[in-house]
Amino acid sequence: MFGAEKAAEGEGDRAVQGSPGGEKHEPPRFDPIPVLEKAGVTTEQRDRVERTLELLKALPAESPAEVRKGIVEASLKAFDISIGAIVEAANAQLAAFRSFIATGHKQLDDQTRKSNERIAHLQAEIAKLQRQMEMATSDQATLDQAAIAASERVRPVLAFFGEAMPRVEHAARDSPAASMNR
């Protein structure tokens, strides 16, 4: 479940769940009811706004805005429905949605900051390991040269007695570390 869906269900913190291995990511679904409930918007307030929206949809679109407003106000007064209560309920819903969005962005910013810190840490660790590999490769090349020089120093003894001694080659080119640097 993604953050918006978790928060919409009142589960608190939004957790960003990545898609390791290229798994398909399903976008979150938004359910306004849990958001409104968490913000304290009552069922009665939600119903007021929904009934008003239905009434607005039923109005003829070609009518001027003032005529439509007059029709709605007259209908609401006829049923003794408070326009102030409807406006208050609509404002409460808008405040709940604004709060939901602000909370989501705060959590997204926090997740982004933490992710960037982790990425920087991992990049520093990679750079450190690369430096260690380079130093180990260089150290091994130095040791190889010293061992080759030492073996060349011993070669005359075997040559004196007629023994063949194979040449000691630079072994670093066959090492796993050397193959990583190619």
Side-chain angles (χ1 to χ4, degrees):
M1 212 180 333
F2 190 70
E5 192 174 351
K6 286 184 80 168
E9 293 178 2
E11 292 184 21
D13 290 345
R14 295 175 187 222
V16 175
Q17 297 178 352
S19 298
E23 297 170 9
K24 186 177 177 183
H25 171 74
E26 186 175 323
R29 291 176 301 280
F30 178 74
D31 182 357
I33 303 300
V35 173
L36 296 172
E37 288 174 345
K38 187 174 181 181
V41 177
T42 66
T43 303
E44 183 180 356
Q45 289 173 309
R46 291 193 315 268
D47 289 345
R48 279 187 195 127
V49 172
E50 287 305 314
R51 283 193 303 259
T52 304
L53 287 169
E54 289 171 12
L55 182 58
L56 293 175
K57 285 181 195 175
L59 294 173
E62 64 276 355
S63 298
E66 288 182 22
V67 171
R68 289 185 290 168
K69 186 175 180 183
I71 293 170
V72 171
E73 287 177 345
S75 299
L76 294 173
K77 284 181 184 175
F79 291 105
D80 197 30
I81 298 173
S82 167
I83 293 172
I86 293 170
V87 170
E88 181 183 322
N91 279 326
Q93 287 190 19
L94 291 177
F97 295 140
R98 280 193 304 269
S99 175
F100 173 79
I101 291 167
T103 299
H105 280 272
K106 182 182 178 297
Q107 291 172 348
L108 175 61
D109 291 346
D110 186 52
Q111 178 67 36
T112 299
R113 180 188 52 76
K114 287 178 181 176
S115 294
N116 285 332
E117 287 172 0
R118 179 76 175 130
I119 289 167
H121 174 74
L122 291 172
Q123 287 172 333
E125 184 68 21
I126 289 168
K128 178 182 172 185
L129 290 171
Q130 287 173 328
R131 285 189 304 273
Q132 288 174 349
M133 281 189 338
E134 289 168 5
M135 286 182 358
T137 301
S138 175
D139 289 351
Q140 186 60 49
T142 300
L143 293 172
D144 290 352
Q145 289 301 319
I148 290 170
S151 67
E152 291 299 321
R153 187 175 159 272
V154 173
R155 183 175 295 285
V157 172
L158 292 178
F160 179 79
F161 292 109
E163 296 290 321
M165 182 176 124
R167 288 214 174 267
V168 177
E169 298 292 324
H170 189 280
R173 68 172 177 257
D174 298 325
S175 72
S179 67
M180 284 191 250
N181 290 329
R182 287 185 212 164

